[in-house]
Amino acid sequence: MPKPLTSIKSLFSVAVVLLAVGCASAPEAPAPKAESPTLKYARYGHTAVADDEAIYVFGGTNERGFIGNIERIDPVTKTSTVLPVRILPRRYGSAVWDGNELIYIFGGVGVHEGRYRIEPTIEIFNTRTRKVSRTKMHLPRRLNSAARLGEQIYVVGGSTFDAEASENGEFRATALVTAYDFTNEQLNRMADLPDARDTKTFSHYGKLCAVGGYNHNDTFARFDCYNPTTDTWQAMPDMPSATSAHSVAVHDDKLYVFGNYSRLDQALVFDFNTQQWSNADMPYQGSRHNAAVTFGDEIFVIGGTTDTKGSALDTIQIFAVGE
């Protein structure tokens, strides 16, 4: 049975021009190619989430440092706007929509008094009022992954900072899984991940799944799904290769995985019906630490980096996945 940890307050034409010369006319000018949509701020290590109207991009980092703004992507026009509200600058956090008007932003790394720290603040962004409120994260983690399942938000895995581990401290992966219950406003501890790791999670037909990851020594190919009824994890078919620094998106009965720290152009798809992995047939431009979001019959792969030193991308790649 889940064990209560603490109670927290409820808190996301081209015009054709004909030039007449005597009786002759020039051929039609070719239509210019449509420009690819881009972010206003290049970024990686950000998080992105959709409600039923738009896609929101939070935080991340680029060559100028940590980012504390929110961009709103219109899924119809594909344009991005920076909203007149700020969050705490952070990267490697997670975000999840509660299904109504709130988006919760968990953990990650920020800067406090000139030093890096795991961000202990949960920020709650109201998509209607566009205001941000804050509360404390009981067990803060970087590179955690959050997903909503029913009336609960699960925060899975990630890394804690062990200041006693060495002179400069070090990150340690955790298998911790917590769930915030909207009904009784309580935070519960659930069954741990089978392995401690930074991972990516999503919900699918009543289950919570975690795919790939890294524990600061090893990279994982494993794929596990959690059953909230039995509070147990079940092994799924492993990925074709160990994968980290990736993003995930789900459409119907298919899971899409974009990027890999060691192979940026990796794009995989898992079919829940056949239980098979394959390469995704789409012109994905490789990166790591991007964010992927499903909206309708399209997947948006946003930002990322191709450089270990952190040059950030402003790209918004869009793939049609509907019938």
Side-chain angles (χ1 to χ4, degrees):
M1 297 292 293
K3 299 178 181 179
L5 288 178
T6 186
S7 290
I8 57 178
K9 190 178 180 179
S10 180
L11 313 163
F12 107 69
S13 98
V14 172
V16 175
V17 180
L18 297 180
L19 299 178
V21 181
C23 296
S25 60
E28 289 186 3
K33 294 181 179 179
E35 293 185 1
S36 298
T38 59
L39 294 166
K40 299 299 182 183
Y41 286 77
R43 63 184 82 205
Y44 71 91
H46 52 293
T47 187
V49 64
D51 63 3
D52 53 5
E53 295 183 353
I55 297 167
Y56 296 89
V57 182
F58 301 93
T61 191
N62 59 26
E63 294 83 347
R64 296 185 177 183
F66 286 67
I67 299 171
N69 64 36
I70 304 171
E71 291 196 43
R72 180 185 186 274
I73 301 174
D74 186 316
V76 177
T77 65
K78 319 303 188 197
T79 57
S80 181
T81 304
V82 178
L83 300 182
V85 60
R86 294 188 64 81
I87 61 169
L88 296 171
R90 64 171 90 191
R91 69 183 178 200
Y92 301 147
S94 64
V96 62
W97 177 45
D98 74 344
N100 293 301
E101 60 187 52
L102 302 179
I103 295 175
Y104 293 75
I105 308 165
F106 298 95
V109 176
V111 177
H112 180 67
E113 297 180 348
R115 301 184 65 179
Y116 292 120
R117 70 167 182 178
I118 295 181
E119 182 52 62
T121 306
I122 299 172
E123 293 183 282
I124 309 102
F125 171 66
N126 189 305
T127 59
R128 296 180 185 173
T129 66
R130 297 190 176 177
K131 294 183 178 180
V132 174
S133 57
R134 298 182 174 93
T135 189
K136 289 295 181 181
M137 187 173 181
H138 187 67
L139 298 164
R141 290 159 271 166
R142 75 190 275 272
L143 287 169
N144 68 81
S145 187
R148 177 169 61 93
L149 186 61
E151 295 302 313
Q152 298 192 98
I153 289 179
Y154 290 77
V155 182
V156 179
S159 298
T160 59
F161 187 72
D162 186 352
E164 305 298 327
S166 66
E167 181 179 350
N168 298 317
E170 64 182 33
F171 291 111
R172 290 186 178 274
T174 178
L176 181 67
V177 179
T178 55
Y180 176 73
D181 191 320
F182 294 109
T183 302
N184 58 23
E185 298 185 4
Q186 193 169 65
L187 185 69
N188 298 315
R189 180 165 181 173
M190 318 309 284
D192 286 356
L193 274 170
D195 291 285
R197 67 192 196 264
D198 305 336
T199 188
K200 292 297 180 181
T201 62
F202 61 93
S203 58
H204 183 263
Y205 289 167
K207 292 185 178 181
L208 176 77
C209 301
V211 62
Y214 180 64
N215 68 359
H216 305 277
N217 288 303
D218 302 309
T219 305
F220 291 81
R222 70 174 304 148
F223 178 20
D224 305 282
C225 288
Y226 170 81
N227 187 331
T229 302
T230 61
D231 190 34
T232 57
W233 289 88
Q234 176 186 359
M236 299 287 285
D238 281 354
M239 304 177 72
S241 60
T243 300
S244 66
H246 53 300
S247 63
V248 298
V250 177
H251 183 269
D252 291 340
D253 283 323
K254 292 184 178 179
L255 161 66
Y256 296 84
V257 180
F258 299 95
N260 186 351
Y261 191 91
S262 61
R263 184 185 168 190
L264 305 183
D265 62 351
Q266 176 178 286
L268 301 173
V269 58
F270 178 77
D271 190 319
F272 278 92
N273 293 318
T274 64
Q275 296 284 291
Q276 296 291 318
W277 286 96
S278 60
N279 292 320
D281 184 18
M282 53 182 60
Y284 166 65
Q285 298 174 13
S287 66
R288 62 171 75 104
H289 293 304
N290 56 55
V293 176
T294 303
F295 196 100
D297 289 334
E298 294 179 318
I299 293 176
F300 293 66
V301 180
I302 304 162
T305 181
T306 60
D307 189 337
T308 56
K309 295 184 179 179
S311 59
L313 305 176
D314 64 358
T315 54
I316 303 175
Q317 303 181 60
I318 305 172
F319 306 107
V321 289
E323 294 295 337

